[in-house]
Amino acid sequence: MTNQRKPRGPYRKSAERRERILQAAYEAIDEHGERASLQDIADRVGVTQPALTYYFPTRDDLLLAVLERRDTLGKQVAGAGGEGGTFVDGMAASARHTTDHPGLAKLYVTLSAAATDPGSPAHSYFTERYGGLAAEVTRDFEEGQRTGLIRADEPAGHLARAVLAVLDGLQIQWMHDPTVDIAAIAETFTRMLAPPAE
Amino acid sequence: MTNQRKPRGPYRKSAERRERILQAAYEAIDEHGERASLQDIADRVGVTQPALTYYFPTRDDLLLAVLERRDTLGKQVAGAGGEGGTFVDGMAASARHTTDHPGLAKLYVTLSAAATDPGSPAHSYFTERYGGLAAEVTRDFEEGQRTGLIRADEPAGHLARAVLAVLDGLQIQWMHDPTVDIAAIAETFTRMLAPPAE
């Protein structure tokens, strides 16, 4: 809004470059995990490291933007079944998104653990992320309770927080033992969200 | 077994000193979190730091022993209802054990995240921990499925892994937002473990 008078061309160019850097960072971390270097990311886009820090002043800023993109893509994956897909399909798809992208999963687990410290620069990011996701899933579940898809004998807000907890917890278990079939366990859990009596 | 011929006195004294160091480390981390220094721990027991490293060669060895003790106490807390207590009581008690001991919870979250790296010294510890706990809870749930306390329409092994995941995930959410009532959400989850139809 404050840039309304700015010429469209340069602004768009800047937004595009930011987008290309973010996409490169996402791919570098997907491939190499947190070991991905800023130099590698800058090289992929063909910019210098200072240019990179113009868009993302600190490494944390860039990493959190990558996690935000992971959330966005994760939601798209979870909702890919569209109107025809069930919530069970979506949650299993989320779990598979974790196992298909271990570098990104590792980044998420490490940063969210480090950010439990209220002094951490990423603390408010995660607090808002969990709050936002919980509110979003709660609204979905309230709707599901009205239409009979989701059990109505427990508060929607509790069920929503439990979903987020299960996905986070399964992700950690899988990183400690990749033989655990977390997509199947996620499916079990989603069936537990159905109304208890037929 | 290999020490059967060793005099009982010195052996017992050594075991007692190890126990006192471990208890001091547990209390120091409970109070100060990971910031607790080895010097503080040594001071509490009245030993030197080298004496401390005789029992726990690395800081990681000591921290993992503290987490082991936390698991043991957590199980006692969860089972405190005894024969009369329900699983619901136990799981809520586990969640409250987390919120009552934030320093220990933080240590757990940080170490388990760091240990997702297979090169980490704590990796095998957590892999075995999750495997062992999952096996234990699975056995309990198989028994519960036979007696009708636990829903039998899903594999006991999936339910067991889901329980561990929910507790881990709620712990992380609580550290990012202490206003989340994770004990109440844990109670919701345990009721979801009951057979679906009356």
Side-chain angles (χ1 to χ4, degrees):
Chain A
M1 294 294 273
T2 53
N3 283 332
Q4 266 180 338
R5 279 158 185 269
K6 220 175 171 180
R8 291 188 145 222
Y11 176 71
R12 193 172 58 211
K13 203 176 158 201
S14 169
E16 280 170 3
R17 179 169 284 183
R18 185 186 186 280
E19 166 58 28
R20 279 170 51 216
I21 292 171
L22 180 52
Q23 183 58 26
Y26 183 90
E27 289 166 9
I29 288 166
D30 193 9
E31 286 169 35
H32 304 294
E34 289 165 285
R35 282 187 306 275
S37 69
L38 292 181
Q39 189 58 56
D40 174 21
I41 294 163
D43 288 348
R44 285 172 190 243
V45 194
V47 298
T48 60
Q49 272 206 48
L52 199 139
T53 53
Y54 170 78
Y55 294 96
F56 300 96
T58 69
R59 186 178 167 84
D60 268 340
D61 291 324
L62 183 57
L63 296 181
L64 292 178
V66 166
L67 287 188
E68 218 160 24
R69 164 145 306 188
R70 176 178 183 254
D71 271 347
T72 308
L73 294 175
K75 276 184 213 166
Q76 284 170 11
V77 165
E83 294 301 307
T86 65
F87 186 76
V88 176
D89 299 334
M91 198 159 155
S94 288
R96 271 191 299 272
H97 191 250
T98 289
T99 56
D100 288 346
H101 301 281
L104 293 158
K106 176 84 173 74
L107 175 69
Y108 172 84
V109 167
T110 312
L111 279 197
S112 68
T116 54
D117 189 341
S120 148
H123 184 70
S124 63
Y125 170 84
F126 279 99
T127 302
E128 284 162 28
R129 175 190 180 273
Y130 282 113
L133 282 175
E136 204 174 309
V137 180
T138 299
R139 282 192 299 273
D140 282 356
F141 282 6
E142 281 168 351
E143 172 66 19
Q145 287 179 331
R146 278 191 290 273
T147 58
L149 281 173
I150 299 288
R151 60 192 306 153
D153 59 340
E154 298 289 346
H158 286 192
L159 298 175
R161 286 268 180 188
V163 164
L164 301 179
V166 162
L167 286 174
D168 275 5
L170 287 179
Q171 178 166 270
I172 294 170
Q173 287 181 43
W174 176 78
M175 299 188 79
H176 286 294
D177 180 358
T179 67
V180 178
D181 186 353
I182 63 171
I185 301 167
E187 284 178 16
T188 281
F189 180 75
T190 50
R191 286 189 292 264
M192 294 164 72
L193 293 168
E198 293 305 298
Chain B
M1 295 293 275
T2 52
N3 282 333
Q4 265 180 338
R5 279 155 186 269
K6 222 175 171 179
R8 289 185 147 223
Y11 176 71
R12 194 171 57 211
K13 204 177 156 201
S14 168
E16 280 169 3
R17 178 168 286 183
R18 184 186 186 281
E19 165 59 27
R20 279 170 51 217
I21 292 171
L22 179 52
Q23 182 58 28
Y26 183 90
E27 289 166 9
I29 288 166
D30 194 8
E31 285 169 37
H32 304 294
E34 288 165 285
R35 283 186 307 274
S37 69
L38 293 181
Q39 190 58 55
D40 173 21
I41 294 164
D43 288 348
R44 284 171 190 242
V45 195
V47 299
T48 59
Q49 271 206 49
L52 198 140
T53 53
Y54 170 79
Y55 294 96
F56 300 97
T58 69
R59 187 177 166 85
D60 268 341
D61 291 325
L62 182 57
L63 295 181
L64 292 178
V66 166
L67 286 188
E68 218 159 25
R69 165 147 305 189
R70 177 178 182 253
D71 271 347
T72 308
L73 294 175
K75 276 184 213 165
Q76 284 170 11
V77 165
E83 295 300 307
T86 65
F87 186 76
V88 177
D89 299 333
M91 199 159 154
S94 287
R96 272 192 299 272
H97 190 251
T98 288
T99 56
D100 288 346
H101 301 281
L104 293 158
K106 176 84 173 74
L107 176 69
Y108 172 86
V109 166
T110 312
L111 278 195
S112 68
T116 54
D117 188 340
S120 148
H123 185 70
S124 63
Y125 170 84
F126 279 99
T127 302
E128 284 162 28
R129 175 189 180 273
Y130 281 113
L133 281 175
E136 205 174 308
V137 180
T138 299
R139 280 192 300 273
D140 282 357
F141 281 6
E142 282 168 350
E143 173 65 20
Q145 288 180 329
R146 277 192 290 272
T147 58
L149 282 174
I150 299 289
R151 61 193 304 154
D153 59 340
E154 297 289 344
H158 287 192
L159 299 175
R161 287 269 179 186
V163 163
L164 302 179
V166 162
L167 287 174
D168 275 5
L170 287 179
Q171 178 166 268
I172 293 170
Q173 286 181 44
W174 176 77
M175 300 188 79
H176 287 292
D177 181 358
T179 67
V180 178
D181 186 353
I182 63 171
I185 301 169
E187 284 178 16
T188 280
F189 180 74
T190 50
R191 285 189 293 264
M192 294 164 73
L193 294 168
E198 294 304 298

